[in-house]
């Protein structure tokens, strides 16, 4: 009560703190000094799927996605900013891969949105709570993504 005027402000600060930490890591992956788009894409996916393997973080994120949190004033805007930042880091990787021929079919901005949505869908599915399914889900997303980007022979 000394730091926040409302419960909504507290919720938003919690959400922004955890999403900022993730965004910084994803930006670091995308901004590697010697870009290797395929390995950057894989590292980006690894980082996203690590959310499902870190039990404490997964629980924390589940709390941040509860009904009460979603009804907080400003929640939708905070989630939109967070999603856009994740997509931006992925689009950077896809642009680099398109430019060097690694991802010949890439349409970086729209593909980043689609890939991030697929990852989010997988991370919110009921089966993601089964540790054996996390690696399978991660592999499915990578196979689909590489096919969509026109990557041959590395799927």
């Amino acid at each position: 009560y000394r730091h926040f005027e409302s419960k909504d402000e507290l919720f938003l600060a919690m959400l922004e703190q955890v999403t900022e930490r993730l965004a910084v890591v994803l930006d670091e992956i995308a901004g590697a000094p010697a870009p290797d788009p395929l390995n950057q894409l894989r590292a980006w996916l690894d980082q996203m799927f690590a959310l499902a393997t870190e039990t404490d973080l997964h629980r924390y994120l589940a709390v941040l996605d509860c009904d009460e949190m979603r009804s907080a004033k400003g929640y939708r805007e905070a989630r939109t900013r967070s999603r856009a930042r994740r997509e931006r880091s992925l689009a950077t990787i896809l642009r680099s891969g398109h430019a060097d021929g690694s991802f010949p079919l890439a349409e970086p901005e729209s593909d980043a949105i689609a890939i991030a949505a697929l990852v989010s869908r997988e991370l919110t599915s009921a089966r993601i709570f089964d540790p054996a399914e996390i690696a399978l889900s991660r592999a499915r997303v990578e196979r689909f993504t590489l096919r969509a980007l026109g990557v041959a022979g590395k799927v």
Side-chain angles (χ1 to χ4, degrees), residues 25-119:
V25 172
L26 296 176
D27 288 346
E28 288 172 358
I29 291 167
D36 176 356
L38 182 57
N39 284 329
Q40 286 174 295
L41 174 62
R42 287 179 169 146
W44 192 95
L45 291 171
D46 287 343
Q47 186 60 49
M48 291 301 295
F49 278 87
L51 298 173
T53 60
E54 297 176 22
T55 308
D56 290 339
L57 179 59
H58 196 71
R59 287 185 190 134
Y60 186 76
L61 291 172
V63 169
L64 292 177
D65 200 38
C66 71
D67 289 338
E68 186 172 6
M69 180 72 172
R70 280 184 266 154
S71 68
K73 184 178 179 183
Y75 176 82
R76 185 176 307 164
E77 294 83 2
R79 289 299 296 240
T80 298
R81 285 191 305 274
S82 172
R83 184 178 60 248
R85 184 135 180 224
R86 287 191 308 273
E87 291 166 358
R88 214 172 20 252
S89 65
L90 182 54
T92 298
I93 295 167
L94 299 179
R95 275 193 300 279
S96 177
H98 185 68
D100 78 359
S102 300
F103 306 142
L105 302 180
E107 296 177 8
E109 279 65 31
S110 60
D111 288 347
I113 293 168
I115 294 164
L118 176 59
V119 169

Side-chain angles (χ1 to χ4, degrees), residues 6 9 11 36 69 71 74 85-86 92 101 117 120 129 136 138 144-145 149-150 153:
S6 69
E9 281 188 24
F11 283 161
D36 176 356
M69 180 72 172
S71 68
R85 184 135 180 224
R86 287 191 308 273
T92 298
S120 292
F129 291 101
L136 296 172
R138 160 68 180 76
F144 174 83
T145 299
L149 298 174

